[in-house]
Amino acid sequence: MSQAFSLRIFVADGDPDGLRIVERSNWVGKALMFPRALLPIVKQRSELNQTGVYLLLGPRVDGDGDMLYVGEGDPIRHRLETHHAQKDFWNRAVCLVAAPGVLNKAHVQFLESNLIRLAKAAKRLPLDNGKSESEPSLSEADRADMQVFLENMLGMLPVLGVHAFEQAAPTSPVASPVLTCKGKGVVATGFESSQGFVVKAGSQAVGETAPSMQQHVRSMFDLRQELIANGVLAADASGYRFTQDYAFSAPSTAAAVVLGRSANGRVEWKDSLGRTLKALQEQELSA
C-alpha cells in the first residue's frame, strides 16, 4: 500500500506560474518547476549547479497534448542552456536534485534510464529522446538508494501534473465495478480509477473509425492513431486489441477510441446488470 506523504511548495517569485520549489516530507531531494522563459533567471540558482535529472515538457508538433524529454546533467545548468538553444518544443521544465554530494553522475544516469524505460512502458506521452540510455553499473547499496530516490520522485510527479510515467492500475478499486462497452462486434472492459478511466488489456476496439470522428473529433482520432502506432492497440481479427491496461483522461475518450466514433462514456459503459456509468454515479451521490 502506498504511504501518505506531504509536499511543501514554495512559490519563489510570488507568481503561481513562475518558479516553484517542491520538497517532499522525509526526502533529501527537491524539484524545481519553471517555465522556459524564466531559465535566464533560474539558472543562477545554486540547485541548477548540482547533479540531477530533468524533464522538459511542451506541445507536440503533430497533434494535441504534450511530449517529453528526459535528461541528466552534472550539473543540470549546462544541459538546460544547450536545450534552450537547440530544442524548440519545450515550454516548461522540472528539475530534480538533492542536497550537495548526494547524487553523482552514475546515480543520475540510473535515474534517467529508468525514467525513459517507464515512460516508454506507460506510453502516456511521446518521447523526444532519440535513444534509450543504458543503465550504469551501481553497487548494491547505491542501487537500493537510487531505487528509493526514484520511487519518491515517481510518487510526487503526478501531484505536480506530470503523469508520463504512470501505468494503469491492473485491478479495479473495490468501489469501482468493472464496466463493459459494446458495439460493432467488439467488447471492452474498464473501470474508473484515480488515474482516469482504465481500459483493461485484452479489450477490443473497432477496426475502422466513423468519418465524422476524423472530421469533428480530431483529438480523439489522433489519440487512437497514436495508440495504434505505439502498440497499445494491436491489430487482430475483430479490429484492434488493447495490449496493456491503459488509463484515459475520461470515460468518453475511452469509449470513443473503442467504438471509433464520438461517444458519451457515461452512457456507453455499463455494469453486468446493464446500468450505465451515469446511473451508477447518480446512485452513489444519492446514497
Side-chain angles (χ1 to χ4, degrees):
M1 180 181 294
S2 299
Q3 296 296 313
F5 63 91
S6 62
L7 295 181
R8 178 177 180 267
I9 302 177
F10 174 57
V11 182
D13 55 9
D15 179 359
D17 296 317
L19 171 63
R20 288 142 291 165
I21 301 171
V22 187
E23 295 177 288
R24 175 173 174 154
S25 55
N26 301 315
W27 188 46
V28 296
K30 68 170 65 172
L32 280 75
M33 303 176 61
F34 55 90
R36 179 176 183 157
L38 288 186
L39 179 59
I41 299 172
V42 176
K43 72 179 185 180
Q44 306 299 329
R45 294 188 63 94
S46 61
E47 291 95 340
L48 295 194
N49 285 318
Q50 295 171 203
T51 304
V53 293
Y54 58 89
L55 313 175
L56 304 179
L57 297 113
R60 65 186 75 173
V61 176
D62 57 351
D64 293 334
D66 283 342
M67 61 189 299
L68 168 72
Y69 180 86
V70 180
E72 53 84 13
D74 183 20
I76 287 179
R77 171 178 172 168
H78 299 312
R79 297 294 297 149
L80 292 177
E81 289 175 328
T82 299
H83 296 318
H84 186 65
Q86 298 179 357
K87 287 188 180 296
D88 292 332
F89 84 91
W90 67 283
N91 56 21
R92 61 195 188 279
V94 181
C95 302
L96 297 122
V97 297
V102 171
L103 299 176
N104 61 35
K105 182 69 171 180
H107 291 156
V108 294
Q109 287 177 335
F110 174 89
L111 296 172
E112 177 196 42
S113 66
N114 278 277
L115 288 171
I116 292 173
R117 174 183 59 81
L118 290 168
K120 287 186 173 181
K123 300 175 182 176
R124 302 285 292 266
L125 295 181
L127 277 171
D128 188 57
N129 294 74
K131 61 183 179 64
S132 296
E133 299 295 333
S134 58
E135 187 177 299
S137 297
L138 294 178
S139 69
E140 184 177 1
D142 276 357
R143 177 177 290 273
D145 287 344
M146 287 304 100
Q147 193 61 49
V148 172
F149 197 95
L150 177 64
E151 290 171 0
N152 282 321
M153 287 169 49
L154 294 173
M156 67 188 289
L157 283 172
V159 184
L160 306 181
V162 181
H163 301 276
F165 310 103
E166 288 184 291
Q167 294 200 51
T171 57
S172 168
V174 174
S176 299
V178 175
L179 306 175
T180 302
C181 179
K182 299 179 180 179
K184 293 185 179 178
V186 300
V187 179
T189 57
F191 57 89
E192 288 191 290
S193 79
S194 59
Q195 299 172 336
F197 193 92
V198 177
V199 177
K200 299 185 70 174
S203 294
Q204 299 170 314
V206 299
E208 299 291 335
T209 59
S212 59
M213 186 178 190
Q214 184 171 357
Q215 296 170 4
H216 305 298
V217 200
R218 185 72 198 189
S219 61
M220 293 186 187
F221 177 82
D222 289 343
L223 173 59
R224 193 174 191 272
Q225 295 304 110
E226 181 181 317
L227 295 179
I228 294 170
N230 65 23
V232 173
L233 287 174
D236 71 0
S238 65
Y240 291 98
R241 174 181 50 83
F242 280 79
T243 61
Q244 64 183 68
D245 291 355
Y246 192 84
F248 291 90
S249 59
S252 292
T253 307
V257 169
V258 168
L259 300 174
R261 58 172 172 78
S262 178
N264 182 345
R266 297 183 69 210
V267 174
E268 300 287 356
W269 291 99
K270 301 176 182 178
D271 70 2
S272 58
L273 299 178
R275 295 174 295 183
T276 66
L277 175 58
K278 177 182 178 181
L280 293 170
Q281 290 173 334
E282 291 174 347
Q283 180 179 322
E284 288 178 356
L285 290 174
S286 63

